[in-house]
Amino acid sequence: MSVGGAGIPRLQELSYIETAATAVARGKSFEQIRLAMVNQAEEVARKNDRDGSFDTGKWVALRSDYRCYVHNTVDVLKELMRLGWVERHTLPSSPQSAFAHAHVVFETTHEGREWTELVSSDVRAGYNALVGALLNAHPQFDGFLRLVGARPESQANHLTIPLLRWEGAVHSEVEDYLRSFITHMVNAVQQGQLGWTAKPEVLENAVRGYVTAAVNRATTRIARHAEQRRLQEAQHLKGAVVERGSSRVVKPPPPLTHKRIAALCEEAAVRLAFTSAGCPMDYISHELLRRWSRFMGLANFSYYAPGTSALRLWATGSVVGSGAGAVFQRSVGPAVRKVVLAALPRICQAETDRSGGGTGYCAVWRIRAATCWEQRVSDEEFDAALISAYRGDFPDLPFRVHLDEASSARTPGSARPLYLDTSSGIPRVIHVMRLYGNSREGVAVL
């Protein structure tokens, strides 16, 4: 498998780079690196398990199958070669050929050894150095940070991509929704303040062309799968002897539900927005970059900030330069948290007015989205500020925070609940919050 190109590697976690680089530096073979990658993925899944769904057996099976996590291992090794931290070497072309490379050992370069030593002694400095190297290696990463406002040459401090929910009462057919989605985007672009612009005809051609092509491909796959199943069932009824492997059950393609159509429109809108802003990239690359930049405290994103439905991305820090000379600044710390807390009464009141609720309780994920978007901070800083206020670390606040596990509405998949550590080691999963203000008569609801 080649190691050329400058595309964004398909790595969900930047920690995979540290895992693989350390394994290479220790003289581990390809199979041992693969196992290290599985172990790291397992550790991430274990840390993120808050509902008891973690399955140890799944990870035992992944470790025992030499074909599992081969793509991830190849991708991270290719990236280390691209960064100049591992000497170039042939890699497996597919999971099935991984066994032939199981005992291959790779060689760390001088720069690679320096980085693994740095990240082992100072994690923050190591990952800052990693970001500097990634900026040099991937123009799209540089462009992403520039568009969301995290680079000196940024023209705006956010990038907004209008989206539209599928409303059953309005959109009975795909064409109805597609037409409404395009109109919604055109109107939003004409109003400005998105961080990008496009002519109406360009917008319509891009969105309609992408969605139509994707729907056609999906329809063909669904029809092909149905025909394959029909032939298999016919052969089975006849008792015919079939060729080895031809009776293998193929996973059916996902159906073209309303949710899937809306997702395709989002993919098209994201591609259009980044291309129009001067940094073309596919949807998966954008997903990875927003994940990396959030992990590094440089940018955040939300689908649920107040206003019209949209995906909003914004800077929560900045990086000047690249490579070893990159300098970072992040919106973190007590001063930032005080500003976050000062905005809470107004934001909670606005959310209460919007929802028409009379209890005063607000969904934490909604308040987080509104506050982080307004104050241009990360989810982690919001959570840290809220928990500090709840525990009384800011005694001068004119209100108290009440947190509760109760929930009247489901937390969206792209927004996580608030987790409150306890002495038992089992975190409380917080869904709603309420502010109480101090008064001479006692406690009054804000």
Side-chain angles (χ1 to χ4, degrees):
M1 180 174 285
S2 67
V3 293
I8 302 303
R10 291 341 194 200
L11 301 175
Q12 291 290 334
E13 304 289 339
L14 283 181
S15 60
Y16 291 166
I17 294 180
E18 178 187 0
T19 298
T22 301
V24 172
R26 292 174 178 172
K28 302 295 186 181
S29 66
F30 180 87
E31 172 60 12
Q32 290 172 321
I33 298 170
R34 184 192 71 83
L35 291 173
M37 290 284 288
V38 175
N39 291 339
Q40 176 61 20
E42 179 185 18
E43 182 63 21
V44 171
R46 191 189 300 275
K47 287 182 178 179
N48 292 332
D49 175 40
R50 301 293 183 173
D51 59 5
S53 61
F54 180 83
D55 182 7
T56 302
K58 165 189 172 182
W59 298 98
V60 172
L62 289 174
R63 271 190 289 273
S64 63
D65 188 344
Y66 73 87
R67 297 167 298 180
C68 293
Y69 267 72
V70 169
H71 284 306
N72 308 72
T73 306
V74 168
D75 283 344
V76 74
L77 287 171
K78 286 176 66 176
E79 184 63 16
L80 288 170
M81 294 175 192
R82 183 182 291 116
L83 295 175
W85 293 351
V86 169
E87 296 290 352
R88 290 178 177 262
H89 197 287
T90 302
L91 296 167
S93 59
S94 69
Q96 288 69 29
S97 65
F99 73 93
H101 300 256
H103 301 294
V104 172
V105 176
F106 304 90
E107 185 176 349
T108 304
T109 64
H110 174 71
E111 293 79 7
R113 285 191 293 273
E114 285 187 336
W115 185 77
T116 54
E117 291 171 1
L118 174 63
V119 77
S120 65
S121 61
D122 187 337
V123 174
R124 177 177 290 273
Y127 276 88
N128 281 346
L130 172 59
V131 170
L134 291 172
L135 287 171
N136 277 343
H138 301 290
Q140 284 181 321
F141 190 22
D142 192 351
F144 178 92
L145 293 179
R146 173 176 54 81
L147 294 183
V148 302
R151 296 291 273 169
E153 62 273 21
S154 296
Q155 299 298 311
N157 63 2
H158 74 283
L159 187 76
T160 298
I161 303 167
L163 302 176
L164 186 68
R165 299 181 186 277
W166 184 299
E167 300 291 347
V170 179
H171 310 121
S172 58
E173 301 291 341
V174 173
E175 179 57 32
D176 296 332
Y177 175 75
L178 187 56
R179 189 184 304 112
S180 296
F181 188 94
I182 292 171
T183 300
H184 173 69
M185 285 199 70
V186 168
N187 292 337
V189 169
Q190 290 175 343
Q191 292 173 12
Q193 306 301 314
L194 300 180
W196 63 280
T197 187
K199 294 181 179 180
E201 60 271 19
V202 172
L203 189 154
E204 178 168 8
N205 290 338
V207 174
R208 186 177 292 279
Y210 182 90
V211 174
T212 300
V215 168
N216 290 340
R217 288 194 300 270
T219 302
T220 300
R221 286 196 296 269
I222 292 171
R224 185 182 297 122
H225 179 267
E227 178 63 16
Q228 181 181 6
R229 290 299 302 270
R230 188 189 67 78
L231 292 174
Q232 288 178 349
E233 290 172 0
Q235 290 176 329
H236 176 73
L237 290 174
K238 292 180 179 179
V241 177
V242 298
E243 292 184 16
R244 181 179 180 182
S246 63
S247 60
R248 179 174 58 92
V249 177
V250 179
K251 183 179 179 181
L256 281 170
T257 60
H258 295 169
K259 183 177 180 180
R260 178 59 182 149
I261 297 299
L264 290 173
C265 287
E266 179 185 338
E267 292 176 15
V270 166
R271 289 167 62 98
L272 172 66
F274 277 94
T275 298
S276 299
C279 182
M281 70 176 66
D282 60 87
Y283 186 81
I284 295 177
S285 293
H286 134 268
E287 278 193 312
L288 293 169
L289 291 177
R290 76 186 190 187
R291 187 183 184 100
W292 292 3
S293 55
R294 172 183 272 182
F295 172 77
M296 289 303 302
L298 294 173
N300 199 3
F301 70 92
S302 177
Y303 289 92
Y304 307 105
T308 57
S309 178
L311 167 60
R312 294 174 172 87
L313 306 103
W314 63 91
T316 59
S318 63
V319 52
V320 179
S322 61
V327 178
F328 295 81
Q329 183 175 359
R330 297 177 175 88
S331 297
V332 297
V336 172
R337 294 171 191 176
K338 285 183 178 180
V339 173
V340 166
L341 294 172
L344 279 187
R346 172 175 48 78
I347 293 175
C348 286
Q349 186 61 58
E351 173 59 22
T352 300
D353 294 343
R354 183 201 66 81
S355 63
T359 64
Y361 282 98
C362 301
V364 172
W365 60 271
R366 285 194 176 277
I367 302 302
R368 181 196 288 129
T371 306
C372 290
W373 166 245
E374 179 186 285
Q375 301 298 323
R376 300 296 195 264
V377 297
S378 66
D379 288 3
E380 288 73 17
E381 278 303 292
F382 172 88
D383 289 358
L386 195 62
I387 292 172
S388 293
Y390 172 75
R391 291 177 172 164
D393 296 340
F394 292 91
D396 296 333
L397 287 176
F399 59 83
R400 294 186 298 109
V401 176
H402 175 68
L403 303 176
D404 203 292
E405 291 98 330
S407 177
S408 59
R410 181 183 64 86
T411 300
S414 61
R416 57 188 178 83
L418 176 70
Y419 298 108
L420 189 64
D421 292 333
T422 64
S423 58
S424 67
I426 302 176
R428 292 174 59 195
V429 182
I430 305 299
H431 294 286
V432 295
M433 58 179 288
R434 189 181 185 185
L435 302 186
Y436 290 94
N438 298 318
S439 68
R440 293 181 180 180
E441 293 76 17
V443 178
V445 179
L446 284 178

